[in-house]
Amino acid sequence: MASRRVRDTSRCYEGPQAAVRTLPAARHRASVSHVNAPDSGAGAGPALDGRVLRDPPDQARLRQLAEEQAALRRVATLVARGTPPEQVFAAVAEEVGHLLSVDVVNMCRYAPDRTITFLASWDGTGQRERFPVGSRLSLGGHNLGTLVYETGRSGRIESYADDSSIGAMTVEAGVRSAVGTPITVEGRLWGVISAGSSRVQPLPSDAEARLASFTELVATALANAESRAALAQLAEEQAALRRVATLVAHGATPEQVFAAVIDEYARLVPVDAAAIARLEPGDTLRYVASWGRAADFLPVGSRWTLDGKNIATDVIETGRPIRVESQAGATGTLADLVRDMGVRSVVGTPVVVEGRVWGEMGAGSTLEDPLPPDAEARLASFTELVATAIANADSHAELMASRARIVAAADETRRRIERDLHDGTQQQLVTLMLDLQLLQAEAPPELEGHLSRIAEQVTDVFNRVREISHGIHPAILSEQGLTLALRGLAHRSAVPVELDLRAGRLPDHVEVAAYYAVSEALANAAKHARASVVHVELDARGATLRLAIRDDGIGGADPSRGTGLTGLRDRIEAVGGTLDVSSPADGGTTLLIEIPV
């Protein structure tokens, strides 16, 4: 037989000849020709009298079976070792070529679009590449690839006279007859393995059956590889979902979750563009995240009208995942943009928050091959996390708004009580003090002592009411602003206070929150910290008020063991601010507060 070669062979695979070294070369060659030319004297051996005698048919058949089993065993060993399918394909093609003594063996895969791709090709002549690996041809006509695809069964063609792309390539390769057997993986037609001969004689009648033995091993290798790939894919997907879920659990902003989701999805599925959009009034989509080619065509913040008939309108209208393999027939602004991006296959799924369609997420590929069949399901897994992040953010926003309303109502109540005390009780006490002064001026000497004591008591009550009024809501805060109010607070403090204030007038809710933060800190320093001095630094020259309150007391303040700091934190957070407390033992206490202005 002429020298043979196989494309893309594995280093670990030694080929069929290496495994039959125990058989004499002549006997090995004879057994092959016996199958293809039974009358050529194959298997003949010399008789004792010098005449040539034929081996019994059973003996030739046994040799054939032994060679076939050895070949199957070599391929099975590769499969058992988890050899990559490409190497198994090449080994099978070579083994079949040697066993059937054919000129060419091809292994191909079918695609949903009725095309066939060559994955392995063995050429018995070793002179030229008749069927280049990677070639992709359309099915149709009278040829083996189409015959097996349409019937799902083994087939045979004794002579080629076909003008289809597959038939033309086969004729040009010099193939006259061929047999082919389907490769079925887990019940679905995956591909075909074929063997062709340029000889006039037809291929052996059992060629299809012998091919089928190898297709079972190929199917096993493919199933194993797909299982390993599926497990690896599942592990990668779960890791990606876990990373996004961690962001959601840690309270990341929706914008951070959006960016993470499309980045993780693009790593898992072969897409060239991905985006998330929010449905707004007026049938408008506002894009909140975009990746790949979509970043140029659908930038974050851009708004597009839902018009025409395209995947975006279908997802929003039906509330279900949608897939399109082509933009043919799609209309509207977004359909034109998708075409401009060069995207062909697209999947989209709705983002449903608390039973309503909040928006949609889509991803697409520019390749001719469609996206994987599970692309929508995997996309839906991520959109569920997006929905959770949005729901959490909405709940947090509602909670913050509710807390802000409660704080604002409490502050307004404080102001009303302060006004009532100032305009009512305090004014009445002032009038009483003036009346007592008049009585003191006109009263006889024996009543002067009694009236003086009464006047002192009234003055003490007046001062107490004024202190209560200042504690509830100092009038100076509303009238003259935070800086002067803090100076007054420092003046009345039992602990010396050093002020460094750089701020003008601020919104009422910001001034009130900052004032009560300093008031609470000074009260704690006087009651618990045994501090000798308190430093107050205020800077509100930008978009954020920054307030630092430090004392040199004993430290050890624990926000979880009292209502003072806890209430203060609630007040600060209610206006969108943050509070950090540092209070090591014997290290003093520091409050760092930031409030957006």
Side-chain angles (χ1 to χ4, degrees), residues 102-324:
V102 291
D103 298 294
V104 63
V105 179
N106 292 321
M107 189 173 299
C108 306
R109 180 172 186 176
Y110 293 121
D113 60 350
R114 288 185 60 87
T115 59
I116 189 170
T117 302
F118 288 82
L119 303 180
S121 183
W122 178 87
D123 193 326
T125 65
Q127 297 176 359
R128 58 195 176 106
E129 190 177 68
R130 308 191 202 192
F131 298 89
V133 171
S135 300
R136 185 175 184 179
L137 303 175
S138 297
L139 294 172
H142 182 65
N143 52 72
L144 204 55
T146 303
L147 179 64
V148 172
Y149 178 82
E150 292 178 345
T151 64
R153 299 193 301 269
S154 298
R156 171 185 291 257
I157 293 181
E158 299 297 357
S159 65
Y160 268 93
D162 181 22
D163 59 358
S164 67
S165 57
I166 299 176
M169 180 180 285
T170 306
V171 172
E172 183 180 353
V175 174
R176 295 188 179 186
S177 62
V179 295
T181 301
I183 300 171
T184 303
V185 179
E186 297 181 349
R188 57 186 172 85
L189 180 61
W190 185 92
V192 61
I193 180 171
S194 62
S197 172
S198 60
R199 298 180 181 87
V200 176
Q201 300 93 336
L203 288 168
S205 59
D206 62 348
E208 294 94 326
R210 300 173 72 184
L211 271 180
S213 301
F214 287 94
T215 59
E216 291 174 3
L217 288 173
V218 171
T220 300
L222 290 169
N224 292 346
E226 289 180 358
S227 297
R228 290 191 296 270
L231 287 174
Q233 174 181 297
L234 179 61
E236 292 176 4
E237 182 174 342
Q238 291 302 312
L241 290 170
R242 186 166 55 250
R243 287 190 291 270
V244 176
T246 300
L247 284 178
V248 175
H250 288 173
T253 65
E255 291 74 19
Q256 292 173 321
V257 175
F258 298 156
V261 162
I262 59 175
D263 183 66
E264 293 286 3
Y265 184 77
R267 293 173 186 269
L268 292 173
V269 181
V271 296
D272 301 292
I276 301 175
R278 179 173 187 174
L279 180 63
E280 294 188 338
D283 288 334
T284 300
L285 287 180
R286 177 171 62 86
Y287 281 84
V288 296
S290 55
W291 178 92
R293 295 197 179 198
D296 295 327
F297 290 85
L298 301 168
V300 173
S302 62
R303 287 178 168 83
W304 301 90
T305 302
L306 277 172
D307 57 359
K309 187 70 173 177
N310 50 69
I311 188 170
T313 58
D314 288 346
V315 168
I316 295 298
E317 290 174 2
T318 64
R320 298 195 304 268
I322 301 290
R323 166 189 287 257
V324 296

Side-chain angles (χ1 to χ4, degrees), residues 279-548:
L279 180 63
E280 294 188 338
D283 288 334
T284 300
L285 287 180
R286 177 171 62 86
Y287 281 84
V288 296
S290 55
W291 178 92
R293 295 197 179 198
D296 295 327
F297 290 85
L298 301 168
V300 173
S302 62
R303 287 178 168 83
W304 301 90
T305 302
L306 277 172
D307 57 359
K309 187 70 173 177
N310 50 69
I311 188 170
T313 58
D314 288 346
V315 168
I316 295 298
E317 290 174 2
T318 64
R320 298 195 304 268
I322 301 290
R323 166 189 287 257
V324 296
E325 303 298 359
S326 166
Q327 296 306 306
T331 62
T333 307
L334 289 174
D336 294 338
L337 279 173
V338 172
R339 277 190 283 265
D340 291 342
M341 278 190 272
V343 170
R344 299 186 180 187
S345 179
V346 185
V347 293
T349 187
V351 179
V352 180
V353 179
E354 297 181 350
R356 59 183 176 84
V357 176
W358 178 93
E360 63 96 19
M361 178 176 175
S365 169
T366 60
L367 301 177
E368 292 183 3
D369 293 331
L371 288 169
D374 61 347
E376 299 99 313
R378 302 175 79 179
L379 193 64
S381 299
F382 284 97
T383 55
E384 290 175 3
L385 290 174
V386 170
T388 301
I390 294 168
N392 289 349
D394 288 347
S395 298
H396 181 71
E398 291 174 2
L399 176 62
M400 296 300 295
S402 176
R403 292 169 66 180
R405 289 192 296 270
I406 292 172
V407 170
D411 290 341
E412 181 57 33
T413 301
R414 287 173 179 269
R415 292 189 186 93
R416 180 175 54 78
I417 295 173
E418 187 274 331
R419 286 195 302 269
D420 291 343
L421 288 174
H422 181 272
D423 298 339
T425 305
Q426 286 183 269
Q427 294 303 319
Q428 292 174 3
L429 289 172
V430 169
T431 300
L432 182 59
M433 291 170 63
L434 292 175
D435 291 343
L436 282 172
Q437 290 177 2
L438 291 174
L439 285 174
Q440 284 179 304
E442 298 176 359
E446 60 271 17
L447 297 176
E448 184 176 351
H450 292 291
L451 292 174
S452 295
R453 285 194 297 275
I454 294 173
E456 289 176 358
Q457 291 174 357
V458 172
T459 301
D460 184 57
V461 171
F462 176 81
N463 289 335
R464 288 178 179 272
V465 170
R466 184 173 61 182
E467 287 297 326
I468 292 173
S469 176
H470 285 162
I472 293 174
H473 189 87
I476 190 174
L477 181 61
S478 301
E479 296 169 0
Q480 302 185 41
L482 179 62
T483 299
L484 291 179
L486 291 181
R487 293 188 189 280
L489 189 62
H491 179 72
R492 298 191 303 273
S493 173
V495 180
V497 180
E498 296 181 356
L499 298 174
D500 180 8
L501 309 177
R502 297 182 296 277
R505 288 308 302 263
L506 300 167
D508 288 345
H509 68 280
V510 176
E511 290 190 331
V512 171
Y515 177 85
Y516 284 112
V518 176
S519 178
E520 177 70 23
L522 294 181
N524 289 340
K527 295 179 182 178
H528 309 295
R530 294 182 290 204
S532 61
V533 65
V534 178
H535 301 273
V536 178
E537 300 176 10
L538 173 66
D539 186 352
R541 293 175 293 181
T544 302
L545 176 146
R546 293 178 174 82
L547 178 62

